[in-house]
Amino acid sequence: MYNIEVFWKGVKVTFPYRIYDEVSKAQVLTAKDLEKLCIYTRHHNGHIREVAVLELMQKFPTECIPFVVQLIAEYVVEIAVSISKIITPKQCQEIQEFLRENPKHAQTIQSKIASYWDCYYKWSYLKLNDYPAYKLINNV
């Protein structure tokens, strides 16, 4: 696997595309270490990723923004739906700032969203504009 490299507030952030450690939802929910919680958003199990990102968003350290944005672009639409339900105006503002700071990554995110919609979800969401991840990333 490879790592994702982005900038956030002028600092280079590098994190794995996926991790394959064995971890339970209980371990995610009781994680005290912010870095560990961020890394759980990269877990191979979509349920673990969802639990981790929702936990991060409730605590909302600004350091978590690259991890939230990465999850919006993934193929598990339920994660984008869950994020949409709890995202705050402040978090939307931070995501906008992150996307402006990383224009190439922002384009990759947009492309992945469109690709996953076309491949997996165009029968459920007839228009790309209706796809939850697309709506989320374009309305922040």
Side-chain angles (χ1 to χ4, degrees):
M1 270 303 158
Y2 64 93
N3 287 334
I4 297 166
E5 291 183 353
V6 293
F7 286 89
W8 183 221
K9 301 198 182 265
V11 176
K12 186 177 179 180
V13 179
T14 303
F15 53 92
Y17 184 77
R18 279 289 176 260
I19 63 166
Y20 294 91
D21 298 342
E22 287 305 315
V23 63
S24 70
K25 288 182 187 178
Q27 286 173 291
V28 175
L29 290 171
T30 58
K32 302 281 188 256
D33 183 2
L34 175 63
E35 185 175 333
K36 187 178 271 189
L37 201 50
C38 287
I39 293 301
Y40 287 154
T41 69
R42 307 311 316 137
H43 198 272
H44 70 94
N45 181 319
H47 296 290
I48 297 295
R49 291 195 304 272
E50 183 176 19
V51 169
V53 75
L54 295 178
E55 193 69 16
L56 271 177
M57 290 181 73
Q58 288 175 359
K59 295 177 184 195
F60 190 57
T62 60
E63 298 90 345
C64 77
I65 290 300
F67 298 89
V68 173
V69 171
Q70 193 63 35
L71 281 173
I72 294 170
E74 293 187 356
Y75 60 89
V76 182
V77 71
E78 293 83 3
I79 294 175
V81 170
S82 292
I83 291 170
S84 296
K85 288 178 181 178
I86 68 166
I87 197 165
T88 67
K90 173 70 172 154
Q91 290 167 329
C92 289
Q93 182 181 19
E94 295 278 345
I95 289 172
Q96 288 173 353
E97 189 178 319
F98 173 79
L99 294 172
R100 281 192 298 274
E101 188 173 358
N102 295 278
K104 287 184 181 180
H105 190 64
Q107 182 56 53
T108 299
I109 295 294
Q110 289 282 0
S111 296
K112 286 178 74 174
I113 289 170
S115 179
Y116 287 132
W117 168 80
D118 185 54
C119 191
Y120 300 111
Y121 296 106
K122 66 182 173 186
W123 295 275
S124 300
Y125 303 95
L126 300 180
K127 297 178 192 170
L128 177 60
N129 291 345
D130 295 333
Y131 181 52
Y134 184 86
K135 285 170 45 175
L136 182 58
I137 206 74
N138 287 292
N139 292 321
V140 290

